[in-house]
Structures are given as C-alpha cells and as structure tokens.
Amino acid sequence: PIAIMPCGAAGTTTTVGSGAPAHRRGRSGWIPRPPSQGRRRPAAVKTERRRSSRHLVRSLDLEPLDVDGWGETTLREAQEATGAVFDAGTTVPTRFEGEEVVSEADLLSQDRCVFCDLSDASVLQVRGEDRLAFLHNQSTASVEGVETGRVVETAFVTAKAGMIDAASLLVQKQSVLVLASAGGAASLAAHLEKHIFPRDDVVVSDVSSNLSVFSLLGSGSTAVMERLGLAHDLGQNRQVLVSFQGYPLCIARATVLGVPGYTWIVDNTIAVEAWELLLGLENTAPIGSAAYEALRIEVGRPKMGSELTEDWNPLEAGLLGRCLDVEKGCSIGQEVIKRVHAKNGITRRLWGLSSEGLLQEGEDILHEGKKVGTVTSACEVAGGSVALGYIRTRMAGAPFSAEGKALSVGGVVATGASLTYTDYPTALGEGEG
C-alpha cells in the first residue's frame, strides 16, 4: 500500500502497511535511514560479554553463528530469482533472461513500459538554509527560489566550464537530493564541499548507500502509475514523497534519459518490496544495464567519463535546452559559457552513429579520409552497433553536419544521425571553426 504525503514533509508519523516502522525523521526533512549507529558500550562491558559468549559456546560445544541479516532477502537475490544476470564486479543486473530488445521508438508506444535498476547512481543530499542559493551558484541551471516538488536538470562544471557531471536536483521541503552519475559521488561531493564558505548554512552528504534507484521508461509508465494511484496530479518534472510500508519513497516524473517515464528513489529497507511491486504489474518488464546503455546511446544522453569530461563544456555536450541558463548571474564557469554561446564558438558537438559492423570507443571518425571526430561511447545492438562521438562543426571553412553522412570508424562504415536528447544553437557551425 502506498499513501501520498507532502513532498519533503517527512516529519509525519503516518505509517502505511502492516505495522511497519515509520521512517526516520529530522528537522532537515527526509533523512534516508543511515547505517546502524548504535551507542558504544564501555570496553569493560564489551569484554565481559565477549567472555560470556565464548564460555557459552564452549560449554554447549557449538559453533557461533553469524545471523546478521538472517532471513532477509537482498535486492540482488530477489532479482536473480527472476532471471537477473550480473556481470563480474557489477552491483546492478546486466541483463534478464528472456529480455526483449527495446528501442527509443518502442518507448513511445502507449502500452510499453520497462524498468531498470539504477542503484549504482550517486545520490547526494544538500541541507541547510542556503542550499538553493548554493546550488544555484555551483551549477548551470537557475535553482534559487525553485519551489518544493520540482525536478531541475543541471550540470556541474569547472571554473573553465569543463564538464564534471550532469545531474537532477529533486527539491524537497528541507533538502535537495542530487541524482548524479554512477561512481561520481565522492568526487562531486568533494567539488561542492570545497566551495562551501564558513558562513554558508550548507551540508552535503553522500546518501547513495542508503538508497535504491529504479527508472520506469516508456509512455506506458503513466498507465502503470495510475494503477498505483500516483499519476493523476504529478506533472512533468514534478516529484512527490510517499510512504510505502512506513518508509519514504520519492517518485519523480522525470528520467535521466529524457524519455517519458518516472524515477523512484527508494529507502533500501523496502527496495525488495518496491522492486517486486513493479514486477507484479501488468505490461511492465525489467531490463538490465546493457539494454539501458544502448538506450542511452540511442537517445544521446551524455555520460560522465565518456561525453562528460573536462575536455568538453556543456554547450558542446548539447545540454543547452535542458541544463543551462545562459543568462543567469554569477556562477562557476558561467562567464566562459556565456562567452562561447555569444560567439557561437562551439567547435565540436555530439552525433549519433549506427553501423552494421562493430564500432568501438576511442576510434577516430573519418569523413572523406579526413579525421572529423572521435567515438566516445559504443555498444552492440541487434543488427550491428550504435555509438556517440564528438564531431567538428566546420570543415574546410564551412559548417559541417554529420546527419546522414557516410563516415568511417576503424575501417567500418557508419552513418551519422542527430540525437533527441541533445540541444544546440540553431546557427551552430557559423562561428569560429
């Protein structure tokens, strides 16, 4: 059972479900349940209890049992029980047995909905009275004064406007959740913390380990949410905090890929129940990280470490219409961004590539024998492969478009195509090459 409560109003004591404990409360709004923080026992007491335990074990001739988590099913176990396959070293399913191929066009079907475990994503929590002003100054979007319940896409950049990461800000009543790329929590938190001044009332916490993140993708996801009673008043780029079995569940009508769908941020205590709830719904099916990566490349959503590095600025990454407010006031990297935009000085931009052959990351992209770019991401799909790459905006002094062009990548023929996620100035290519 799910009950809606005001976004960020985690101070309520309402419990929903069969006697489950209410979620943790605090003055700063929803504070995801932290790892156990029990009080320390005095050393003498701990030693005495340890001796007593050892004596009991010897007297009964038994081996001590490790019963931590005894009887509990982990999310991974629940997923493996339904056909999930994990590659070595991964924490989210790579694929599912019998998984169907999903394309961007499939997600536009009104009856299509897939969901994916993105729990390797980074989630930071920013608290304090100055949190919105702080994030406004540290990112590329306009954040100051944003109302509770909004989802804001933004980017974090260096002083020279080099990309650090693109993220979603979920503005709650007394905190902001920053949903960012997998593996980037520590570096992004360090970047933000070094810009906190002594008088700033701002606290940045990494809460990734306390949460699971599920993404529902496809136009059919709205019907799925309606069956749960959660879609009727949730507009695009809006979020709501609900109580599920007594724990907080944040649901946002927004996706990392920019396609129709929803994002669930779940307390780990109820991650298994939330996942099984999705599994039990009609017209839904899970996909693994491999299928999700293919979708990411197809729509053109840039990724940290591939398309989002300090070598590229957010204008080159195609984030203009989603993450940038070019006219906002002073913020990190803003002067460089505004200057590049005013001069139409983008010299590279992202294009999609498709081929019947195998495209590989790092390969040069050639047009008529001349290098025009580099592949930044690639993966195999049914019938060939798809890729992303940065390609020059000008050749021989004239604007250059890769749309429909025959290109060569590592000796393999590929075709260039524009991307649905990215956004560029209409006069791109007329600036300095």
Side-chain angles (χ1 to χ4, degrees):
I2 296 178
I4 298 177
M5 59 186 177
C7 184
T12 178
T13 57
T14 301
T15 299
V16 180
S18 55
H23 55 271
R24 184 168 177 256
R25 292 174 286 136
R27 67 177 183 84
S28 56
W30 174 31
I31 303 178
R33 182 185 55 82
S36 177
Q37 297 176 348
R39 295 179 181 177
R40 294 185 177 182
R41 299 192 191 101
V45 175
K46 291 169 66 177
T47 302
E48 182 61 33
R49 292 190 179 183
R50 196 178 300 121
R51 289 171 180 166
S52 299
S53 298
R54 285 201 299 265
H55 175 72
L56 180 61
V57 170
R58 284 198 301 271
S59 64
L60 296 178
D61 195 25
L62 296 174
E63 291 295 327
L65 298 177
D66 180 6
V67 295
D68 289 343
W70 193 16
E72 295 182 0
T73 300
T74 66
L75 179 58
R76 176 166 181 156
E77 290 170 342
Q79 292 169 336
E80 288 178 329
T82 55
V85 177
F86 290 76
D87 281 353
T90 61
T91 58
V92 296
T94 304
R95 59 189 179 279
F96 286 83
E97 296 176 1
E99 182 178 287
E100 297 182 12
V101 176
V102 182
S103 67
E104 181 183 5
D106 293 332
L107 297 181
L108 299 180
S109 171
Q110 292 299 317
D111 60 353
R112 194 65 185 269
C113 175
V114 297
F115 58 97
C116 184
D117 184 0
L118 303 183
S119 298
D120 56 351
S122 301
V123 185
L124 304 181
Q125 185 181 49
V126 182
R127 294 174 285 135
E129 293 297 324
D130 300 326
R131 61 191 178 279
L132 290 180
F134 174 75
L135 289 170
H136 180 87
N137 293 334
Q138 303 305 317
S139 70
T140 59
S142 290
V143 182
E144 194 167 21
V146 172
E147 63 180 331
T148 297
R150 297 294 300 179
V151 179
V152 179
E153 290 188 74
T154 193
F156 296 97
V157 299
T158 66
K160 295 182 179 180
M163 283 297 311
I164 295 174
D165 199 3
S168 298
L169 306 180
L170 288 79
V171 181
Q172 300 186 328
K173 188 175 182 180
Q174 295 178 347
S175 69
V176 178
L177 292 183
V178 182
L179 179 60
S181 299
S187 58
L188 182 55
H191 169 77
L192 294 176
E193 286 172 348
K194 74 178 182 180
H195 291 99
I196 299 176
F197 293 103
R199 292 188 178 182
D200 290 339
D201 183 8
V202 175
V203 178
V204 178
S205 305
D206 179 5
V207 295
S208 308
S209 62
N210 299 326
L211 303 169
S212 295
V213 180
F214 304 147
S215 181
L216 283 71
L217 305 170
S219 296
S221 59
T222 298
V224 170
M225 297 299 292
E226 286 175 348
R227 290 201 293 274
L228 295 174
L230 294 170
H232 62 285
D233 59 354
L234 194 58
Q236 189 64 35
N237 293 322
R238 302 284 303 186
Q239 54 155 329
V240 64
L241 191 63
V242 304
S243 178
F244 177 53
Q245 298 194 1
Y247 288 88
L249 165 59
C250 182
I251 298 177
R253 190 171 184 179
T255 65
V256 173
L257 300 184
V259 300
Y262 296 79
T263 299
W264 287 22
I265 302 180
V266 187
D267 187 291
N268 278 342
T269 307
I270 54 166
V272 172
E273 290 80 0
W275 182 263
E276 291 178 341
L277 175 65
L278 294 174
L279 278 176
L281 296 172
E282 294 182 0
N283 299 322
T284 64
I287 63 171
S289 60
Y292 185 86
E293 174 69 358
L295 283 171
R296 181 193 73 82
I297 292 174
E298 185 180 2
V299 303
R301 205 289 189 181
K303 182 173 72 173
M304 186 188 74
S306 297
E307 294 76 34
L308 303 180
T309 72
E310 293 187 18
D311 295 330
W312 311 105
N313 65 55
L315 290 167
E316 293 170 321
L319 303 181
L320 177 61
R322 294 182 180 272
C323 303
L324 300 184
D325 180 357
V326 179
E327 301 302 326
K328 68 180 285 189
C330 182
S331 61
I332 292 181
Q334 182 68 11
E335 183 179 345
V336 176
I337 293 172
K338 183 177 268 189
R339 183 170 65 249
V340 172
H341 183 264
K343 293 183 177 180
N344 199 18
I346 302 174
T347 60
R348 302 286 191 278
R349 60 160 287 178
L350 278 176
W351 287 94
L353 303 168
S354 61
S355 175
E356 295 181 357
L358 179 62
L359 302 176
Q360 297 188 50
E361 182 179 331
E363 292 279 4
D364 290 342
I365 303 171
L366 307 180
H367 176 64
E368 297 180 347
K370 296 181 180 180
K371 180 180 176 180
V372 294
T374 304
V375 175
T376 53
S377 293
C379 72
E380 294 186 61
V381 295
S385 56
V386 293
L388 291 174
Y390 278 105
I391 295 178
R392 296 176 58 179
T393 59
R394 297 177 66 84
M395 278 193 68
F400 177 75
S401 170
E403 183 72 44
K405 294 287 195 311
L407 305 167
S408 176
V409 180
V412 175
V413 177
T415 303
S418 56
L419 303 162
T420 56
Y421 185 90
T422 56
D423 179 49
Y424 292 96
T426 54
L428 187 61
E430 296 181 0
E432 297 178 2

mmCIF file of all heavy atoms in Angstrom, residues 140 153-155 163 165-166 300-302 308 313-325 421-424:
data_model
loop_
_atom_site.group_PDB
_atom_site.id
_atom_site.type_symbol
_atom_site.label_atom_id
_atom_site.label_comp_id
_atom_site.label_asym_id
_atom_site.label_seq_id
_atom_site.Cartn_x
_atom_site.Cartn_y
_atom_site.Cartn_z
ATOM 1 N N THR A 140 24.790 25.009 -13.442
ATOM 2 C CA THR A 140 24.493 25.815 -14.635
ATOM 3 C C THR A 140 23.036 26.207 -14.776
ATOM 4 O O THR A 140 22.709 27.042 -15.616
ATOM 5 C CB THR A 140 24.916 25.035 -15.893
ATOM 6 O OG1 THR A 140 24.205 23.790 -15.934
ATOM 7 C CG2 THR A 140 26.411 24.766 -15.892
ATOM 8 N N GLU A 153 16.992 19.874 -13.977
ATOM 9 C CA GLU A 153 18.196 19.306 -14.589
ATOM 10 C C GLU A 153 19.284 20.380 -14.609
ATOM 11 O O GLU A 153 19.027 21.534 -14.970
ATOM 12 C CB GLU A 153 17.913 18.831 -16.009
ATOM 13 C CG GLU A 153 17.022 17.601 -16.091
ATOM 14 C CD GLU A 153 16.946 17.068 -17.508
ATOM 15 O OE1 GLU A 153 17.925 16.465 -17.976
ATOM 16 O OE2 GLU A 153 15.902 17.269 -18.150
ATOM 17 N N THR A 154 20.493 19.994 -14.262
ATOM 18 C CA THR A 154 21.589 20.950 -14.211
ATOM 19 C C THR A 154 22.905 20.247 -14.519
ATOM 20 O O THR A 154 22.945 19.030 -14.727
ATOM 21 C CB THR A 154 21.650 21.641 -12.838
ATOM 22 O OG1 THR A 154 22.526 22.767 -12.905
ATOM 23 C CG2 THR A 154 22.123 20.683 -11.757
ATOM 24 N N ALA A 155 23.964 21.022 -14.577
ATOM 25 C CA ALA A 155 25.303 20.472 -14.794
ATOM 26 C C ALA A 155 26.271 21.131 -13.828
ATOM 27 O O ALA A 155 26.094 22.293 -13.441
ATOM 28 C CB ALA A 155 25.746 20.713 -16.240
ATOM 29 N N MET A 163 33.224 19.975 -18.157
ATOM 30 C CA MET A 163 32.165 19.191 -17.541
ATOM 31 C C MET A 163 32.673 18.319 -16.398
ATOM 32 O O MET A 163 33.702 17.662 -16.502
ATOM 33 C CB MET A 163 31.501 18.290 -18.583
ATOM 34 C CG MET A 163 30.536 19.003 -19.512
ATOM 35 S SD MET A 163 29.087 19.719 -18.671
ATOM 36 C CE MET A 163 28.510 18.360 -17.677
ATOM 37 N N ASP A 165 29.806 16.740 -14.271
ATOM 38 C CA ASP A 165 28.702 15.790 -14.366
ATOM 39 C C ASP A 165 27.410 16.547 -14.657
ATOM 40 O O ASP A 165 27.311 17.760 -14.412
ATOM 41 C CB ASP A 165 28.552 14.996 -13.068
ATOM 42 C CG ASP A 165 27.762 13.705 -13.235
ATOM 43 O OD1 ASP A 165 27.376 13.386 -14.383
ATOM 44 O OD2 ASP A 165 27.532 13.010 -12.224
ATOM 45 N N ALA A 166 26.432 15.836 -15.193
ATOM 46 C CA ALA A 166 25.075 16.343 -15.320
ATOM 47 C C ALA A 166 24.228 15.628 -14.279
ATOM 48 O O ALA A 166 24.459 14.445 -13.993
ATOM 49 C CB ALA A 166 24.529 16.088 -16.718
ATOM 50 N N GLY A 300 21.152 9.725 -26.999
ATOM 51 C CA GLY A 300 22.222 10.718 -26.967
ATOM 52 C C GLY A 300 22.446 11.378 -25.631
ATOM 53 O O GLY A 300 22.996 12.480 -25.569
ATOM 54 N N ARG A 301 22.097 10.694 -24.549
ATOM 55 C CA ARG A 301 22.323 11.275 -23.226
ATOM 56 C C ARG A 301 23.813 11.117 -22.867
ATOM 57 O O ARG A 301 24.311 10.008 -22.715
ATOM 58 C CB ARG A 301 21.463 10.555 -22.196
ATOM 59 C CG ARG A 301 21.119 11.375 -20.942
ATOM 60 C CD ARG A 301 22.279 11.588 -20.024
ATOM 61 N NE ARG A 301 21.850 12.188 -18.749
ATOM 62 C CZ ARG A 301 22.660 12.489 -17.777
ATOM 63 N NH1 ARG A 301 23.962 12.294 -17.885
ATOM 64 N NH2 ARG A 301 22.186 13.017 -16.659
ATOM 65 N N PRO A 302 24.562 12.216 -22.756
ATOM 66 C CA PRO A 302 25.992 12.117 -22.440
ATOM 67 C C PRO A 302 26.226 11.558 -21.047
ATOM 68 O O PRO A 302 25.418 11.757 -20.136
ATOM 69 C CB PRO A 302 26.492 13.556 -22.567
ATOM 70 C CG PRO A 302 25.278 14.402 -22.396
ATOM 71 C CD PRO A 302 24.131 13.615 -22.917
ATOM 72 N N LEU A 308 31.048 13.410 -20.917
ATOM 73 C CA LEU A 308 31.137 14.475 -19.909
ATOM 74 C C LEU A 308 32.485 14.390 -19.207
ATOM 75 O O LEU A 308 32.660 13.657 -18.220
ATOM 76 C CB LEU A 308 29.996 14.356 -18.898
ATOM 77 C CG LEU A 308 28.576 14.392 -19.479
ATOM 78 C CD1 LEU A 308 27.540 14.258 -18.369
ATOM 79 C CD2 LEU A 308 28.346 15.658 -20.288
ATOM 80 N N ASN A 313 32.700 21.324 -22.783
ATOM 81 C CA ASN A 313 31.820 22.184 -21.994
ATOM 82 C C ASN A 313 30.367 21.771 -22.238
ATOM 83 O O ASN A 313 30.068 21.016 -23.171
ATOM 84 C CB ASN A 313 32.066 23.666 -22.320
ATOM 85 C CG ASN A 313 31.704 24.028 -23.750
ATOM 86 O OD1 ASN A 313 30.582 23.800 -24.198
ATOM 87 N ND2 ASN A 313 32.659 24.599 -24.491
ATOM 88 N N PRO A 314 29.437 22.241 -21.405
ATOM 89 C CA PRO A 314 28.037 21.797 -21.531
ATOM 90 C C PRO A 314 27.370 22.197 -22.843
ATOM 91 O O PRO A 314 26.429 21.529 -23.271
ATOM 92 C CB PRO A 314 27.349 22.444 -20.328
ATOM 93 C CG PRO A 314 28.266 23.529 -19.872
ATOM 94 C CD PRO A 314 29.639 23.089 -20.227
ATOM 95 N N LEU A 315 27.844 23.258 -23.499
ATOM 96 C CA LEU A 315 27.289 23.617 -24.806
ATOM 97 C C LEU A 315 27.681 22.582 -25.849
ATOM 98 O O LEU A 315 26.868 22.184 -26.692
ATOM 99 C CB LEU A 315 27.777 25.004 -25.218
ATOM 100 C CG LEU A 315 27.203 26.178 -24.423
ATOM 101 C CD1 LEU A 315 27.990 27.454 -24.707
ATOM 102 C CD2 LEU A 315 25.725 26.379 -24.725
ATOM 103 N N GLU A 316 28.920 22.111 -25.806
ATOM 104 C CA GLU A 316 29.372 21.077 -26.739
ATOM 105 C C GLU A 316 28.666 19.754 -26.474
ATOM 106 O O GLU A 316 28.404 18.975 -27.397
ATOM 107 C CB GLU A 316 30.883 20.908 -26.630
ATOM 108 C CG GLU A 316 31.670 22.113 -27.112
ATOM 109 C CD GLU A 316 33.138 22.036 -26.769
ATOM 110 O OE1 GLU A 316 33.468 21.579 -25.654
ATOM 111 O OE2 GLU A 316 33.967 22.436 -27.609
ATOM 112 N N ALA A 317 28.336 19.497 -25.199
ATOM 113 C CA ALA A 317 27.650 18.257 -24.829
ATOM 114 C C ALA A 317 26.166 18.287 -25.164
ATOM 115 O O ALA A 317 25.459 17.297 -24.944
ATOM 116 C CB ALA A 317 27.840 17.976 -23.345
ATOM 117 N N GLY A 318 25.667 19.419 -25.667
ATOM 118 C CA GLY A 318 24.267 19.508 -26.078
ATOM 119 C C GLY A 318 23.291 19.701 -24.946
ATOM 120 O O GLY A 318 22.120 19.330 -25.060
ATOM 121 N N LEU A 319 23.730 20.326 -23.862
ATOM 122 C CA LEU A 319 22.882 20.495 -22.685
ATOM 123 C C LEU A 319 22.169 21.843 -22.638
ATOM 124 O O LEU A 319 21.567 22.192 -21.622
ATOM 125 C CB LEU A 319 23.725 20.321 -21.420
ATOM 126 C CG LEU A 319 24.474 18.985 -21.282
ATOM 127 C CD1 LEU A 319 25.243 18.942 -19.962
ATOM 128 C CD2 LEU A 319 23.529 17.807 -21.394
ATOM 129 N N LEU A 320 22.215 22.587 -23.739
ATOM 130 C CA LEU A 320 21.691 23.956 -23.745
ATOM 131 C C LEU A 320 20.242 24.040 -23.284
ATOM 132 O O LEU A 320 19.903 24.813 -22.392
ATOM 133 C CB LEU A 320 21.821 24.558 -25.151
ATOM 134 C CG LEU A 320 21.255 25.973 -25.335
ATOM 135 C CD1 LEU A 320 21.980 26.952 -24.431
ATOM 136 C CD2 LEU A 320 21.353 26.415 -26.792
ATOM 137 N N GLY A 321 19.364 23.266 -23.873
ATOM 138 C CA GLY A 321 17.940 23.395 -23.567
ATOM 139 C C GLY A 321 17.508 22.691 -22.301
ATOM 140 O O GLY A 321 16.371 22.876 -21.849
ATOM 141 N N ARG A 322 18.385 21.883 -21.716
ATOM 142 C CA ARG A 322 17.994 21.084 -20.563
ATOM 143 C C ARG A 322 18.614 21.566 -19.254
ATOM 144 O O ARG A 322 17.951 21.599 -18.225
ATOM 145 C CB ARG A 322 18.388 19.619 -20.776
ATOM 146 C CG ARG A 322 17.641 18.947 -21.907
ATOM 147 C CD ARG A 322 18.037 17.491 -22.026
ATOM 148 N NE ARG A 322 17.325 16.839 -23.101
ATOM 149 C CZ ARG A 322 16.142 16.260 -22.987
ATOM 150 N NH1 ARG A 322 15.530 16.267 -21.813
ATOM 151 N NH2 ARG A 322 15.546 15.683 -24.018
ATOM 152 N N CYS A 323 19.892 21.893 -19.279
ATOM 153 C CA CYS A 323 20.636 22.134 -18.039
ATOM 154 C C CYS A 323 21.199 23.537 -17.904
ATOM 155 O O CYS A 323 21.793 23.843 -16.868
ATOM 156 C CB CYS A 323 21.801 21.142 -17.938
ATOM 157 S SG CYS A 323 21.322 19.410 -17.996
ATOM 158 N N LEU A 324 21.065 24.366 -18.924
ATOM 159 C CA LEU A 324 21.753 25.654 -18.919
ATOM 160 C C LEU A 324 20.793 26.836 -18.884
ATOM 161 O O LEU A 324 19.803 26.872 -19.609
ATOM 162 C CB LEU A 324 22.632 25.796 -20.168
ATOM 163 C CG LEU A 324 23.751 24.786 -20.387
ATOM 164 C CD1 LEU A 324 24.543 25.170 -21.628
ATOM 165 C CD2 LEU A 324 24.655 24.718 -19.185
ATOM 166 N N ASP A 325 21.129 27.802 -18.049
ATOM 167 C CA ASP A 325 20.524 29.133 -18.116
ATOM 168 C C ASP A 325 21.669 30.083 -18.442
ATOM 169 O O ASP A 325 22.422 30.497 -17.566
ATOM 170 C CB ASP A 325 19.865 29.503 -16.788
ATOM 171 C CG ASP A 325 19.236 30.886 -16.828
ATOM 172 O OD1 ASP A 325 19.361 31.568 -17.871
ATOM 173 O OD2 ASP A 325 18.628 31.292 -15.821
ATOM 174 N N TYR A 421 18.115 13.761 -27.364
ATOM 175 C CA TYR A 421 18.393 14.346 -26.055
ATOM 176 C C TYR A 421 19.104 15.684 -26.162
ATOM 177 O O TYR A 421 18.824 16.619 -25.407
ATOM 178 C CB TYR A 421 19.246 13.386 -25.217
ATOM 179 C CG TYR A 421 19.480 13.875 -23.804
ATOM 180 C CD1 TYR A 421 18.601 13.544 -22.780
ATOM 181 C CD2 TYR A 421 20.573 14.691 -23.492
ATOM 182 C CE1 TYR A 421 18.803 13.998 -21.487
ATOM 183 C CE2 TYR A 421 20.777 15.147 -22.200
ATOM 184 C CZ TYR A 421 19.896 14.809 -21.206
ATOM 185 O OH TYR A 421 20.085 15.275 -19.929
ATOM 186 N N THR A 422 20.035 15.805 -27.091
ATOM 187 C CA THR A 422 20.888 16.998 -27.142
ATOM 188 C C THR A 422 20.179 18.186 -27.771
ATOM 189 O O THR A 422 19.224 18.049 -28.536
ATOM 190 C CB THR A 422 22.176 16.689 -27.924
ATOM 191 O OG1 THR A 422 21.817 16.208 -29.231
ATOM 192 C CG2 THR A 422 23.008 15.652 -27.211
ATOM 193 N N ASP A 423 20.683 19.380 -27.447
ATOM 194 C CA ASP A 423 20.117 20.621 -27.977
ATOM 195 C C ASP A 423 21.259 21.593 -28.252
ATOM 196 O O ASP A 423 22.111 21.816 -27.385
ATOM 197 C CB ASP A 423 19.135 21.228 -26.966
ATOM 198 C CG ASP A 423 18.545 22.532 -27.465
ATOM 199 O OD1 ASP A 423 18.072 22.584 -28.616
ATOM 200 O OD2 ASP A 423 18.570 23.515 -26.698
ATOM 201 N N TYR A 424 21.263 22.152 -29.462
ATOM 202 C CA TYR A 424 22.334 23.063 -29.865
ATOM 203 C C TYR A 424 21.743 24.341 -30.466
ATOM 204 O O TYR A 424 20.602 24.345 -30.935
ATOM 205 C CB TYR A 424 23.236 22.386 -30.907
ATOM 206 C CG TYR A 424 24.038 21.240 -30.354
ATOM 207 C CD1 TYR A 424 23.594 19.932 -30.484
ATOM 208 C CD2 TYR A 424 25.222 21.471 -29.668
ATOM 209 C CE1 TYR A 424 24.320 18.867 -29.956
ATOM 210 C CE2 TYR A 424 25.966 20.419 -29.138
ATOM 211 C CZ TYR A 424 25.495 19.128 -29.290
ATOM 212 O OH TYR A 424 26.222 18.090 -28.763
#
